[in-house]
Amino acid sequence: MPLWRDAGRPADAAALALRLARRDAARGALRTADALLEDALLRSPDVPDVLRERVRILTLVGRAQEALDLGAAALDGLAGDAHADLCLELARTAVAAARWGDATRFVERAGRPADPRSAVLLADAAFGEGRVDDAAALAARAVVAAERAGEPAALCEALGVVARTSWRVDLAATEAAFRRAAQVAAEHGLTPWRVTALAGAGMMEALDPGDAPTLELARTLARDTGMLGQLAASDLIVADVVLLRDGPEAATPHALRALESARTLRLPGVADAAAGQAATCRAGAADRAGCERLIAEMRDPNLGLRALGAFALGLSSLVEHDLRSAAACFDPVVDLVLEHRATPLLAPVGAWLLVRTALDGQDGARARLTEHPKGMTTPNRAAVRYADAVTAGRAGRGAEAVAALAEADALLAARPWWRRLLRLTVLDSAVRDGWGDPVPELRADLAAHEAAGAVHQARTCRDLLRAAGAPARRATGAPVAPHLRALGVTGREAEVLALVARGMTNAQIAERLVLSRRTVETHVANLLAKSGAPGRRELGALAAEPP
């Protein structure tokens, strides 16, 4: 580039900078690409393609406002196709910044209603606003326009919007749209679009049958072509698959790798999603503090990410079998998620239905979740059947409850960690309401929880076995910190102490640990005597004392 500039040919230098920047951006080197474009604009401010590319790169690195300011300041000096192209790029930036009204205004200012990109961006804006039916109609129109214009890139983008508008009502249609986009991209050598579409199709595979060979293909292509941002996004899908199948300890490295990559590449949207996924993994490991820390690292989460954070906190309570606390986390966001059709129904939505059913019946919750049967993922279909088992068992229809439990178990055969977690709530119902044969089921799950090191779930199994009159042979309590062990505090007393520290009453602790209130009162009295603490508040401080 310096040679072109020294030779007095700044346009050629700008063209080379643009080519190099696009190459760097494609392999994930966004900072390098931005530096090249910034320098090119300083030396050749009148090259529209360079300006438009810098707007795109600034958007990708999370500097959307800077991108909008830069592009908007230059619009009045452009005309014709250069003006329209920059308007449409700014509309895309506005979509990324969740400024749906601005996106629509930029499309209108472009003055290209027949351009398939205009319909795609209007569809994206409508989708972001939650107007999914409008978005679907606009996306369908964009597909037709792109086909007629012979613009494969616009067609791939339009099919991506079609896929997103379908995922709450028809998972098969979503996967079909992604696969068609991948085929079009492959035919026309559009590798970035192919990788993106394959990742979407792989996500659909992961949501339904549980295996995701297409996702692995997408990850391989992303790695080979240097699409590091897409690789990080794909790692999030892998983390979710592994969490439900193998548990949080196996899934956490995938989520943290995605988080580190997204931060290195300065991809704030991916980084926020990765922080939420990592928080979910820590919640599954009963690491509430780690979960809360990761949620706090989200910069400016949208509705979907806020829901992910709330679901993570609810999951941490569910792991501890604290159903009321789980419901308190789930309830505020579930209504928003169910109403906002642009937000996917993650597995914790089904967990919410099960928790609500166990606490106080379904109250129409089942009908809301199953409104679009073809849009329900396998984990949520299983959760519905688990909730049906609880409802039937409580109504005295034991055979129906057993059948629903077996059907749900079969649906989650490929997701054993998630199955064991949800089964605890169902088997609790079986013990309390007297249906089925929960003892052998609990013993089998206890062995699996112990083998996986799932301390809290194993404890819940032992508590339920004791409530069923079949105590487990190895009825150990929670691990006891050294400073408590020195006072003679037992494992069960340590469990009670931890719940006292959380402000729970004796009645709440008794319900949580499946103990009588008198037994809890005895444990609290023993803790007061052993520690010399004058009251419950001081006991809570004792629990928080470092070992």
Side-chain angles (χ1 to χ4, degrees):
M1 286 187 297
L3 293 176
W4 287 120
R5 288 197 298 264
D6 293 344
R9 298 170 64 177
D12 289 329
L16 178 58
L18 179 61
R19 190 160 61 249
L20 293 174
R22 285 173 172 166
R23 181 201 64 186
D24 288 338
R27 64 184 179 86
L30 298 177
R31 283 180 289 178
T32 304
D34 184 50
L36 283 167
L37 294 168
E38 183 178 21
D39 180 69
L41 276 178
L42 287 173
R43 299 176 184 277
S44 305
D46 299 325
V47 181
D49 286 349
V50 174
L51 174 64
R52 190 170 65 252
E53 185 66 12
R54 184 149 196 250
V55 167
R56 187 179 79 88
I57 297 300
L58 286 172
T59 303
L60 288 175
V61 298
R63 295 156 64 186
Q65 187 58 56
E66 187 177 343
L68 290 169
D69 292 343
L70 175 68
L75 272 177
D76 288 338
L78 298 175
D81 289 343
H83 176 270
D85 288 342
L86 182 56
C87 281
L88 294 176
E89 194 61 57
L90 288 169
R92 190 169 283 108
T93 296
V95 166
R99 292 168 58 167
W100 319 118
D102 288 342
T104 300
R105 284 188 286 274
F106 278 123
V107 171
E108 292 170 348
R109 186 171 177 179
R112 295 289 192 272
D115 191 317
R117 292 175 297 172
S118 296
V120 168
L121 290 164
L122 290 174
D124 260 330
F127 184 76
E129 290 177 329
R131 295 186 291 111
V132 179
D133 292 336
D134 291 341
L138 286 164
R141 194 173 80 195
V143 167
V144 173
E147 289 173 334
R148 287 176 177 170
E151 296 186 16
L155 177 56
C156 290
E157 189 173 9
L159 288 168
V161 182
V162 169
R164 294 199 299 278
T165 59
S166 302
W167 63 16
R168 282 280 292 269
V169 295
D170 192 339
L171 293 175
T174 295
E175 184 173 350
F178 277 133
R179 290 196 182 279
R180 186 183 173 202
Q183 181 182 9
V184 170
E187 290 175 355
H188 294 275
L190 302 173
T191 301
W193 278 115
R194 185 184 180 211
V195 172
T196 301
L198 286 173
M203 178 175 65
M204 292 301 103
E205 288 177 346
L207 285 173
D208 207 25
D211 295 326
T214 305
L215 180 61
E216 286 306 308
L217 173 59
R219 295 180 76 249
T220 299
L221 286 173
R223 188 183 301 110
D224 291 346
T225 56
M227 293 181 62
L228 303 183
Q230 184 61 63
L231 185 61
S234 296
D235 276 335
L236 293 182
I237 305 173
V238 173
D240 189 60
V241 171
V242 174
L243 174 66
L244 301 189
R245 185 186 66 209
D246 302 325
E249 299 305 336
T252 296
H254 297 282
L256 292 180
R257 184 170 63 238
L259 179 58
E260 181 181 2
S261 296
R263 287 173 173 169
T264 299
L265 297 170
R266 295 188 181 181
L267 300 174
V270 179
D272 279 348
Q277 185 63 53
T280 302
C281 292
R282 297 325 304 152
D287 178 9
R288 192 178 185 89
C291 173
E292 292 174 342
R293 175 180 56 77
L294 286 159
I295 291 172
E297 292 179 9
M298 294 183 187
R299 291 174 54 183
D300 187 20
N302 55 30
L303 170 59
L305 291 173
R306 292 201 309 274
L308 184 60
F311 288 151
L313 292 173
L315 177 60
S316 71
S317 296
L318 186 59
V319 165
E320 296 179 351
H321 203 59
D322 187 348
L323 302 189
R324 295 197 181 280
S325 293
C329 294
F330 291 154
D331 285 346
V333 295
V334 165
D335 282 345
L336 295 175
V337 168
L338 289 174
E339 291 170 7
H340 194 269
R341 283 175 48 203
T343 304
L345 295 182
L346 302 174
V349 178
W352 161 80
L353 172 65
L354 175 58
V355 166
R356 269 281 147 231
T357 303
L359 289 174
D360 49 20
Q362 294 181 2
D363 284 339
R366 186 188 192 281
R368 295 179 66 197
L369 184 56
T370 59
E371 182 180 1
H372 300 289
K374 291 195 295 183
M376 289 188 64
T377 63
T378 296
N380 283 333
R381 285 190 287 125
V384 169
R385 294 303 285 148
Y386 279 139
D388 290 344
V390 171
T391 299
R394 189 170 293 163
R397 303 193 302 272
E400 182 181 331
V402 169
L405 172 60
E407 183 180 336
D409 284 345
L411 286 170
L412 290 183
R415 298 169 174 87
W417 183 82
W418 190 244
R419 179 179 61 186
R420 290 195 303 270
L421 179 63
L422 296 190
R423 275 167 56 88
L424 286 172
T425 299
V426 185
L427 295 176
D428 187 339
S429 167
V431 170
R432 293 176 185 272
D433 298 329
W435 57 269
D437 189 8
V439 170
E441 303 264 11
L442 284 166
R443 284 178 173 157
D445 282 0
L446 173 59
H449 287 311
E450 289 180 333
V455 174
H456 290 79
Q457 294 97 310
R459 181 208 65 206
T460 300
C461 274
R462 294 189 191 99
D463 291 341
L464 292 174
L465 283 166
R466 186 177 60 255
R473 295 177 182 175
R474 200 166 67 85
T476 57
V480 182
H483 73 288
L484 297 177
R485 194 182 307 115
L487 298 174
V489 173
T490 67
R492 178 58 86 182
E493 288 168 350
E495 289 182 309
V496 171
L497 176 60
L499 299 179
V500 168
R502 292 173 58 174
M504 295 177 70
T505 65
N506 286 351
Q508 290 171 329
I509 294 171
E511 180 182 4
R512 167 73 178 280
L513 298 181
V514 199
L515 299 171
S516 70
R517 189 178 304 187
R518 185 181 294 269
T519 298
V520 174
E521 290 170 353
T522 299
H523 286 314
V524 172
N526 289 341
L527 286 165
L528 291 170
K530 291 178 180 181
S531 66
R536 295 177 76 91
R537 178 179 300 176
E538 290 76 14
L539 276 181
L542 176 68
E545 182 180 328

